[in-house]
Every structure is written in structure tokens, then in C-alpha cells.
Amino acid sequence: MSRDKVSFTDLATATYCPRQLYYDRREDDREPPPEATARIDLAFRYPELRDLDDAALAAEPIDRPPEEYRAALARLADRADWESLSDPTDTHVLLDGKDARGVAHKVIGETGADAPRDDDENPTGDPPVPVIVSPGDPPERGVWEPQSVKAVAAMHALSWQEGRRIRRAIVEYPTHGVVRDVSLSVRRSGTYRRVLRSVRELDGPPARLSSSAKCRDCRHRSNCGVKTRSLRSLIGL
């Protein structure tokens, strides 16, 4: 079994559908679609969005009526970490851990050489918090499992870099103005380890899932299960 580092994105995709990850890996272009990028960018514009009038706000890629969205941002402003979330200093941070690597959209709190230290050069104070931004809709409570696994991967990677335990992450759903806290738990860590192992062992198309809803929205639905031949086999090499 390969011990190569796994990307945060591959972990999240495998959690949602391992078969989707298999087909993703066969494509050269795995960049997120522009509409997803525009939705993620909302998480970096909260103060600006609060000041927009209804017409301008409705033109943004939000998934709530302007009045409801503005009220949701007002509730976020009551959080103790609102200033750090709305005006982060560390954005699109590459986290390179022992087993996985990927980008945290934000890291709030002081990291590395900037962190307060005691006389033994050990970091003190509150540990930094990685933030993952999702372009989708939030569940009624908590976070979806793919984002949970991605958040755990970010916590472990940041812990590896910082040399101290990171036990909290944040997942943002900016199209709804929703922010959810994610704490490290035995159950979440177990799910992360299981998915990490399955991604490392992935060498062929996994079994199909029974969820037709996932298949309906998948960009691989037209070729999922279709046998393909390599260029070498087509020319007889």
C-alpha cells in the first residue's frame, strides 16, 4: 500500500463517492468550476456584502433572499472570531502534514514563528484554527461528512506543522452565511483514517453506490462504468 500523501480534495471526494474519485483521477483538468470559485469567494467579502443593497446582493451567488442573508451575516458578526473570519490575514494556506496535504482557505490565530512562546520555545496561547470553505448548502446541523473529513485532515496537517495539537476547525457555507465549528473527536478521526486508507488502496473502480441522487449530479454519469482503452492498446503496442 502506498504511503504517499493524499490531498484534502481527494479525501473529501472519496468520502462522498469513491467511484467519483477514481474517474476524477483519470482527468487532466480537476480545477473547480468557476461558479464554485465565485461562491467560495463570498467567504472573503462578508463586510462588503453586509453593505450591499437588496438588488446588488441578489445579483451575488447567494442561496438566501437578501434580507435573510444580511441577517445571517449579522448573526455571524456576534461571534468572537468574526474579525478574523471576515478579514483573515492568512488565506489559501498550504498545509503539509504527515499523511495529507492541501489548502485551508483561511487559518485564524497565530502560527509558526508568530505564535506566543514560553521560555522553552514551546507555543503557548490558543492554537490556530484551519478554515474550510464549501460552495454548497449546509446541513440542518453540523457539517456534511466530506467537509468533516477535510476539516480533520486540515487539523492533523496543521498539528504536524505546528508541533502541537489542533483540535478545532471551522467550515463555512458562505452562500448561506453559515459558519459551523468542528471539533476533533474519536469518531471523526476514525472516519478520516478509514477514508485515508481507502484512497491509498484505490487502484480500480470501486463498487457503484446505490444513491441515484449522487449519480444524477455527477459529471462522470455519462462515462461511469464505460470501459476505455488506452492509446497504446488502440495502436497495438
Side-chain angles (χ1 to χ4, degrees):
M1 179 176 68
S2 171
R3 299 297 298 180
D4 291 343
K5 294 182 183 181
V6 176
S7 75
F8 294 174
T9 299
D10 281 2
L11 288 167
T13 303
T15 305
Y16 182 76
C17 176
R19 197 173 179 94
Q20 185 178 105
L21 174 60
Y22 171 76
Y23 284 100
D24 277 355
R25 285 180 164 180
R26 302 194 335 179
E27 295 185 350
D28 292 332
D29 183 10
R30 297 178 61 188
E31 291 297 316
E35 56 268 25
T37 300
R39 292 161 74 90
I40 287 173
D41 285 347
L42 294 172
F44 302 89
R45 301 171 53 209
Y46 291 144
E48 172 197 347
L49 295 170
R50 290 187 73 184
D51 292 335
L52 294 180
D53 60 30
D54 284 358
L57 194 52
E60 297 288 345
I62 61 174
D63 288 328
R64 305 176 86 163
E67 185 176 347
E68 288 184 17
Y69 189 79
R70 200 177 291 108
L73 293 186
R75 288 191 293 272
L76 290 186
D78 290 334
R79 290 177 59 102
D81 54 8
W82 162 254
E83 188 173 335
S84 298
L85 284 173
S86 60
D87 187 22
T89 55
D90 295 321
T91 63
H92 302 95
V93 181
L94 176 62
L95 303 179
D96 197 356
K98 178 183 177 184
D99 297 307
R101 70 195 307 264
V103 172
H105 295 95
K106 308 172 187 176
V107 175
I108 62 176
E110 295 175 312
T111 60
D114 295 327
R117 295 175 182 270
D118 60 22
D119 292 339
D120 296 323
E121 289 300 304
N122 293 315
T124 61
D126 294 333
V129 178
V131 181
I132 302 298
V133 180
S134 169
D137 301 329
E140 193 169 319
R141 290 186 174 184
V143 302
W144 299 114
E145 194 166 55
Q147 280 104 51
S148 174
V149 168
K150 199 170 187 178
V152 171
M155 282 187 268
H156 282 311
L158 187 54
S159 295
W160 179 260
Q161 290 187 183
E162 288 288 302
R164 55 174 167 166
R165 282 191 172 187
I166 309 298
R167 303 188 62 85
R168 178 174 166 255
I170 290 173
V171 176
E172 295 185 47
Y173 298 92
T175 63
H176 286 257
V178 169
V179 171
R180 300 276 167 80
D181 294 290
V182 178
S183 59
L184 193 62
S185 66
V186 173
R187 182 188 65 80
R188 283 197 172 106
S189 290
T191 301
Y192 163 75
R193 294 295 175 191
R194 174 180 57 78
V195 176
L196 177 67
R197 185 168 57 252
S198 69
V199 172
R200 283 174 166 164
E201 293 174 346
L202 184 65
D203 59 2
R208 291 178 182 272
L209 298 178
S210 58
S211 173
S212 59
K214 290 183 178 181
C215 297
R216 184 180 63 245
D217 296 330
C218 180
R219 66 179 179 275
H220 302 299
R221 63 187 179 277
S222 62
N223 66 328
C224 182
V226 177
K227 292 183 178 180
T228 59
R229 299 178 63 190
S230 68
L231 178 61
R232 290 172 62 85
S233 66
L234 289 172
I235 62 178
L237 294 179

